[in-house]
């Protein structure tokens, strides 16, 4: 699909989803810079580089996603560009959901953290990466890894702040695609389904979630973080999706269609 050799900046909090996306990209020969908590990502980098499947180096650039100064994000992207030389794609995987709780009980500090990480960081990074792609006159692909709760389907209780931020990112994908397409920059999103270690399935109990998955998902299983997402990321950063922008691809086993309100079965 034309993704081999792409130079990719990928944000990660060291979670299993971004780890496996990174591994699949490395296997395809992509040159990666990971961005996020430096200590956490160095461990992830070492794990990937020590695997027999790593064929290209992976580098790390530290960035605090709770930072409120736009210039800090610009500087981090500058450091990544010095490593890569140029940038073909940006994949934003970093997210923070927090614990399931009633919105009327959500503490102010927790709310601010959720907003800073899930919306403000996405905004600052879109601007920083978009300006680099524009100035280099090379265009590029920007991909936001979203969730069904931010895409208006598959809603569940206990995550009002998180879901609202992701809904903002969903709208940002559409509006920014309209604005920066003239620079040959594409902006798309992936609305992923839930996996069994997500906060909502865990909040109802892993055993219960596993037992009821056949009632929740037409494919009768939760998201497989190792194999279900990477191919869509690879497609969106590849030349094969060169006429696709402002689009959200649902990778959710149709759970958001059959169960638009997750509480209806849990």
């Amino acid at each position: 699909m034309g993704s081999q050799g792409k130079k990719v900046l990928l944000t990660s909090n060291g979670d299993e989803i971004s780890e496996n996306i990174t591994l699949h990209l490395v296997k395809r020969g992509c040159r990666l810079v990971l961005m996020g908590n430096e200590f956490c990502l160095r461990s992830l980098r070492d794990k990937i580089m020590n695997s027999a499947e790593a064929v290209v180096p992976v580098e790390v650039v530290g960035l605090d996603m709770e930072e409120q100064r736009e210039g800090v994000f610009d500087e981090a992207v500058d450091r990544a560009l010095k490593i890569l030389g140029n940038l073909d794609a940006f994949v934003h995987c970093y997210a923070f959901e927090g614990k399931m709780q009633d919105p009327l009980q959500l503490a102010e500090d927790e709310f601010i953290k959720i907003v800073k990480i899930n919306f403000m960081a996405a905004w600052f990074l879109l601007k920083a990466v978009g300006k680099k792609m524009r100035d280099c006159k090379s265009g590029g692909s920007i991909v936001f890894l979203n969730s069904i709760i931010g895409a208006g389907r598959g809603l569940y209780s206990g995550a009002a702040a998180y879901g609202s931020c992701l809904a903002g990112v969903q709208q940002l994908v559409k509006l920014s695609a309209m604005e920066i397409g003239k620079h040959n920059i594409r902006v798309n999103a992936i609305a992923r389904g839930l996996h069994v270690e997500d906060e909502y399935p865990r909040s109802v109990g892993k055993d219960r979630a596993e037992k009821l998955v056949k009632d929740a998902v037409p494919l009768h299983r939760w998201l497989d973080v190792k194999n279900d997402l990477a191919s869509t990321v690879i497609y969106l950063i590849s030349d094969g999706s060169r006429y696709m922008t402002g689009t959200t691809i649902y990778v959710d086993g149709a759970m958001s269609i059959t169960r638009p309100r997750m509480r209806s079965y849990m």
Side-chain angles (χ1 to χ4, degrees):
M1 289 189 291
S3 63
Q4 290 88 346
K6 295 283 187 182
K7 295 180 178 180
V8 182
L9 173 61
L10 185 146
T11 63
S12 168
N13 61 1
D15 64 298
E16 195 175 1
I17 287 178
S18 56
E19 175 184 339
N20 283 285
I21 290 173
T22 300
L23 184 57
H24 280 274
L25 291 175
V26 168
K27 280 196 234 180
R28 294 186 69 87
C30 293
R31 178 77 192 281
L32 262 74
V33 169
L34 302 178
M35 181 174 285
N37 180 282
E38 192 166 358
F39 177 78
C40 174
L41 293 184
R42 286 194 182 280
S43 298
L44 174 57
R45 187 270 312 272
D46 292 343
K47 179 179 178 181
I48 291 172
M49 294 307 300
N50 289 334
S51 73
E53 298 164 308
V55 295
V56 291
V58 176
E59 302 292 343
V60 172
V61 169
L63 175 63
D64 180 2
M65 294 292 174
E66 293 187 61
E67 179 60 61
Q68 299 183 71
R69 293 171 295 168
E70 184 174 344
V72 173
F73 290 84
D74 291 333
E75 291 170 4
V77 172
D78 282 342
R79 294 200 302 274
L81 263 291
K82 287 180 181 178
I83 295 170
L84 293 171
N86 65 288
L87 188 59
D88 297 309
F90 168 60
V91 182
H92 186 50
C93 298
Y94 203 107
F96 172 74
E97 184 169 7
K99 298 297 182 184
M100 298 291 98
Q101 55 185 305
D102 188 304
L104 302 184
Q105 303 299 321
L106 183 65
E108 180 180 359
D109 289 347
E110 181 82 350
F111 170 74
I112 291 171
K113 180 177 181 178
I114 289 170
V115 173
K116 286 193 293 187
I117 292 176
N118 295 300
F119 187 76
M120 290 180 64
W123 174 271
F124 289 145
L125 286 165
L126 173 73
K127 284 188 67 179
V129 169
K131 287 187 290 185
K132 292 299 180 184
M133 289 178 172
R134 177 200 63 191
D135 295 345
C136 291
K137 302 185 186 305
S138 58
S141 174
I142 296 174
V143 179
F144 287 96
L145 184 60
N146 210 329
S147 167
I148 54 175
I149 194 174
R153 294 175 5 195
L155 303 182
Y156 53 88
S157 58
Y162 175 66
S164 298
C165 288
L166 295 190
V169 172
Q170 177 85 351
Q171 196 71 357
L172 178 62
V173 166
K174 298 175 185 177
L175 295 172
S176 60
M178 291 174 56
E179 298 283 354
I180 65 179
K182 60 192 174 187
H183 304 299
N184 197 29
I185 302 170
R186 300 183 293 109
V187 188
N188 294 290
I190 299 169
R192 72 168 182 85
L194 301 179
H195 65 94
V196 74
E197 293 296 334
D198 273 323
E199 286 295 332
Y200 183 67
R202 289 174 61 187
S203 72
V204 301
K206 186 174 179 180
D207 291 341
R208 179 173 171 79
E210 290 283 18
K211 181 180 179 180
L212 296 175
V213 68
K214 291 182 180 180
D215 296 325
V217 188
L219 292 184
H220 289 188
R221 64 176 178 84
W222 297 105
L223 180 81
D224 177 357
V225 298
K226 291 185 177 181
N227 299 300
D228 287 341
L229 290 169
S231 60
T232 307
V233 173
I234 290 167
Y235 172 65
L236 289 175
I237 71 171
S238 76
D239 299 335
S241 61
R242 62 188 179 275
Y243 202 58
M244 180 180 288
T245 191
T247 298
T248 294
I249 299 177
Y250 284 79
V251 183
D252 70 344
M255 69 173 71
S256 64
I257 296 175
T258 58
R259 298 293 182 180
R261 302 294 182 269
M262 302 296 281
R263 182 61 72 183
S264 64
Y265 77 92
M266 287 293 202

